[in-house]
Structure formats: structure tokens, C-alpha cells
Amino acid sequence: MVDSSTFGRAHADAIDRDAQDPLAPLRERFVLPGDGRLYFVGNSLGLLPRATIDALRCAVEQEWGGHAIDGWNRSGWWDMALRLGGLLAPIVGAGQDELLVTDSTTLNAYKLLGAVLQAEPRRDTIILERSNFPSNAHLVEGMTELMASAGRRLRTRLIDVEQEAVPVPSQLAEAMAGEDGERAIALLSHVAFRSGFRFDLAAVNRAAREAGSRVIWDFSHAVGVVEIDARRHGVELGVGCSYKYLNGGPGAPAWLMIATHLIEGLSNPLRGWVGHRRPFAMELGYEPAPGIARFRCGTCPVLSMRALEPAYSLTAEAGIGAIWEKASGQWDFASSLVAEHLAPLGVEVATPPHRHGAHLTLRHPRAMDWKRALAARRVVVDFRPPDLIRVAIQPLNTRWIDLVDFVNRAMEALSPEALAEAKAEAAAASEGIVT
Ligand SMILES: Cc1ncc(COP(=O)(O)O)c(C=O)c1O
């Protein structure tokens, strides 16, 4: 229970906002964690939509069980990658034919990077941002080594941008402008996984265009919660996952986006029979399928794909505009509660307030013990070393009162006794592999 005397006005305000929240009824459409747990890790794994249970049961019993191999035609398995892309289109603000649901985020980013490098042989610089997700740095390193073995020298420029409160951080602008006719391609996370910093999409894309650079955006921490509006904001190339704010389930297939004007000029470096123009002709020579379908590679994981339809539909039904408006309001509300009640206990907001996404990153020297003490108080957040915890807002199921409740339990969890107890318990227990 939230102590209403401590939280006074905020408590009443939260109750009021929940009562007026047009998205509030959607919370019941999820399987919520039992025992009153507060779930703030929807940026890692979104909760299970109830409709997904029936969709998966139907996929297993009626489609696979009932149709067996005929499912490829009778149940529409073959075209799911494109159909789901169409469902995702209004969420991302892209055209129906610009999206493909396939593979993992990492594989998709690799495919797009390889495709651009192949199509544009003078592009020799890759820009990476220091707070990027490690996969993006790894795939760039792999691509650079592969190209070097074939005699093409690429260089990587590592930049730092998070602290600058301007739409196009100066290090990024400089790197994109390049030297001596250098042409760059940047691989940037729209929302940084650790700090929650969000780039200004429109401004960066405009600057890239003017500099003759390209950007591949990783939307994993934005899609489903931030209003990306890809077409309006000039996004040409993008990738993202489906298991975070899109609630597609553990290991859900990811997606890629290519703006229409680029598609026909790009070819998929991971060629496979599913991306062939005539897959069932079984020819050894490769001819790409028309449109974005050429970025398919192998057989799609049908059962995992079946979980995406109800999940995407739920987000589309709520409307990404309404979701982002609520997320922004809740972020501001939570950060002001943190400033009032947790800052005096040594907590700092590590997300730049001028450009946030939907997760609030908090810094405390005993973050790991704090996370465990929170878990003992039925609050699920995650820890990122060395001193951060992330609190993700999912407007489809996070209530305003949950944020007051979080701060209430977070204060208790920061008491010297709670932290000491968490430390002692940690010494006795073993953590799982996934944190
Ligand atoms: C920003 C970002 N990019 C890429 C990935 C990797 O995605 P995948 O495992 O689908 O390749 C993640 C995973 O959490 C991520 O957070």
C-alpha cells in the first residue's frame, strides 16, 4: 500500500489520472504478474497478452495439428513475414511495403549494413555511438574484418553524444560531415539501452542527408512505445525487436525497415532460398524477390510469428500517439517523484531529461543491492553495471499509481537495513545467467 501521507498530492493525482486514462482498460488484456508485483522490465521482456494464448493454441492445434504441411498454404504461413510487416507499419509510421518481420535484430542490422556497403563502395566510415548496444559494435567489427579480408578498408569512428542537449550532437555532426570526401554510415540506437537517451530522429536524419551520410537506426528500445513516425522523420533504414514494448514473447522475431526509394537498389548479403524470386523453382542461381521480401533469408519460425499478430494488434489498437503521450507524461511524473523522494537518499536520474524514451535509468552506488531489496518488496527492475537500475514504463499496463508505489517501495529498499539484508542474501544465493 502506498503511504498517502508521504505522497499527498502525487497520490491523489495518480488516482485521478488512472481514472481518466483512456488506455487503462487495456491492462486487463495482459497476464499480470501475481502477488501484486510491480513489473518495470517491459523494455526487456513485455508481458503476455491474453489473446496470444489463444493464438498460439490455435497455431499448434488447428494449424500444425490440423493441417500439417498444408499449413504453409491454408494458414498463410508463407507470407506472414510481409503481413506482419503491414501490421507494424502504423506503429512505426512506415509504408506497408517498407517493413519485413524476420530474423533477429542483430542479423537484420548486419544485413542492412552489408547491403549499403555493397551498394555504395565509396562509403568507408562507420559511425558508432559509445552507448550503443554491444551487438551493434560486434557486428560492425565482424563486417570490418570480413571486408578487410577482401581488401576493402573501413574505419570506425566511436563518438560520445549523450550529454549534449542539442538536436544533433556536435561529435555526430562532425563525424557525418567526414573529411576529404569520406562517406559515412552511422549505426545508432534511437533510445540508448542503458541511459534511455533518445536521439532527435528528424534532426539527425536531416543532418545525415545534408552530409551525404546514411543512418541505420536500431529502434529496439523505442518501437511500440515511442512515436517513431519513420516516414515523416526521414528514416531510411531501421531495425528493431518485438519482445520488448511490442510484447511479442521471448525470442520473438525482429523486423527491418527500408524506405521505398532504397529497396530496389539494395541486395541482401545473407541470401537464402526464401528471399529468392521463385523459391520453389529451386534454381541454384539467385534472383532476388521483388521489394522488401528479398531481405528474407531462411524459413520463418511460424509458432513465434503467430504470437506477434495479437501483440502488434494490441499496440495498433491503442494507437502509438496515445501510447507515447502517456509514456512521456508518466516519465515526467516518475522523474519528479524521484527528484523529491529518492534524490535525498543518493539516487540520481541518469537519463538526460531533455531527451528521454520510456525507461527511467537511476544511478545509486549500491544499485545491485537496491535491485535485490526491491525484488524482496515485489518490484521487478533490472540492474546494469556498475551502478544503474532501469525502470521501464509500459503505458499499456503501467498505472500512474504504480509509479507512486514504486517510489514508496524504493525508499524502503534504500534503508541501510534493507540494503544490508539484500547483500547478505546475495552472498548466499546464486544469480541466474540472465540479469
Ligand atoms: C538496442 C538493442 N539492439 C539489439 C539487441 C539485440 O537483439 P537480438 O537479440 O534480437 O539480436 C538488443 C537486445 O536486447 C537491444 O536492446
Side-chain angles (χ1 to χ4, degrees):
M1 272 299 279
V2 178
D3 175 357
S4 54
S5 61
T6 307
F7 291 96
R9 181 79 228 114
H11 182 260
D13 199 15
I15 289 178
D16 229 36
R17 289 187 197 228
D18 278 326
Q20 289 167 29
D21 176 7
L23 300 183
L26 296 176
R27 180 175 154 85
E28 295 309 316
R29 311 255 294 266
F30 288 88
V31 176
L32 300 167
D35 70 11
R37 245 179 314 156
L38 297 176
Y39 191 82
F40 292 113
V41 286
N43 61 339
S44 204
L45 180 65
L47 291 172
L48 168 65
R50 288 188 188 282
T52 304
I53 300 171
D54 286 340
L56 287 181
R57 186 174 294 126
C58 168
V60 171
E61 290 179 1
Q62 292 177 28
E63 297 182 1
W64 183 15
H67 303 153
I69 198 162
D70 287 344
W72 285 106
N73 291 319
R74 289 182 61 183
S75 305
W77 293 344
W78 187 262
D79 292 329
M80 277 167 87
L82 294 160
R83 258 200 335 275
L84 285 166
L87 253 185
L88 193 56
I91 297 170
V92 172
Q96 300 269 333
D97 301 331
E98 295 178 321
L99 282 161
L100 182 68
V101 175
T102 185
D103 298 324
S104 66
T105 316
T106 309
L107 272 177
N108 287 334
Y110 189 86
K111 288 189 284 188
L112 291 188
L113 180 63
V116 172
L117 291 172
Q118 184 185 348
E120 301 176 349
R122 284 190 56 224
R123 221 165 268 288
D124 48 14
T125 301
I126 303 176
I127 302 171
L128 270 181
E129 206 271 307
R130 196 176 298 280
S131 64
N132 224 320
F133 191 75
S135 239
N136 292 331
H138 303 333
L139 73 91
V140 165
E141 193 179 304
M143 179 67 78
T144 305
E145 284 179 16
L146 181 70
M147 292 280 172
S149 70
R152 179 161 171 196
R153 231 187 109 261
L154 299 173
R155 73 162 138 174
T156 300
R157 281 179 180 247
L158 199 58
I159 57 168
D160 289 287
V161 302
E162 293 200 353
Q163 298 318 317
E164 293 185 58
V166 291
V168 185
S170 58
Q171 284 197 25
L172 178 60
E174 266 168 45
M176 289 198 301
E179 301 157 356
D180 306 330
E182 179 185 75
R183 288 277 177 272
I185 176 158
L187 178 45
L188 303 175
S189 289
H190 182 202
V191 174
F193 81 101
R194 200 182 272 116
S195 72
F197 166 86
R198 175 175 48 87
F199 274 106
D200 181 327
L201 266 188
V204 171
N205 285 330
R206 201 175 316 114
R209 246 189 338 273
E210 284 163 10
S213 283
R214 294 215 187 276
V215 184
I216 298 173
W217 288 102
D218 180 344
F219 289 113
S220 296
H221 280 273
V223 66
V225 73
V226 175
E227 195 168 19
I228 295 170
D229 222 342
R231 274 201 164 162
R232 192 159 72 87
H233 292 151
V235 176
E236 290 189 313
L237 301 153
V239 297
C241 69
S242 302
Y243 43 72
K244 301 180 190 290
Y245 295 102
L246 284 172
N247 312 299
W255 54 272
L256 62 82
M257 183 222 140
I258 306 177
T260 307
H261 67 278
L262 289 182
I263 295 175
E264 296 299 324
L266 295 178
S267 64
N268 183 355
L270 291 181
R271 292 177 189 183
W273 74 293
V274 182
H276 194 282
R277 178 179 286 270
R278 294 172 296 279
F280 290 92
M282 304 288 172
E283 300 154 10
L284 288 192
Y286 183 79
E287 246 187 82
I292 200 153
R294 72 189 51 192
F295 278 84
R296 300 180 78 178
C297 186
T299 311
C300 70
V302 171
L303 297 181
S304 297
M305 303 278 272
R306 271 290 179 240
L308 294 181
E309 194 166 335
Y312 289 180
S313 300
L314 196 48
T315 298
E317 178 189 331
I320 195 64
I323 293 175
W324 178 225
E325 191 186 330
K326 180 174 168 188
S328 307
Q330 288 191 314
W331 195 97
D332 290 342
F333 183 65
S335 88
S336 69
L337 287 174
V338 169
E340 188 178 346
H341 300 283
L342 300 181
L345 303 175
V347 175
E348 206 185 295
V349 176
T351 310
H354 52 277
R355 301 221 63 84
H356 61 77
H359 71 267
L360 183 69
T361 301
L362 304 178
R363 176 173 286 124
H364 188 273
R366 296 195 55 190
M368 188 63 196
D369 293 333
W370 188 25
K371 181 212 148 170
R372 290 199 187 96
L374 278 164
R377 283 156 186 79
R378 302 189 315 283
V379 178
V380 193
V381 295
D382 66 16
F383 165 74
R384 286 292 171 263
D387 55 1
L388 302 174
I389 69 162
R390 301 185 303 177
V391 184
I393 290 162
Q394 166 49 283
L396 297 178
N397 50 48
T398 302
R399 295 172 300 195
W400 293 81
I401 196 67
D402 295 339
L403 299 169
V404 183
D405 205 355
F406 163 72
V407 174
N408 186 39
R409 297 192 211 183
M411 286 169 74
E412 281 174 33
L414 279 171
S415 73
E417 301 74 35
L419 291 173
E421 206 172 289
K423 196 177 176 67
E425 273 171 20
S430 68
E431 293 281 334
I433 296 170
V434 178
T435 58

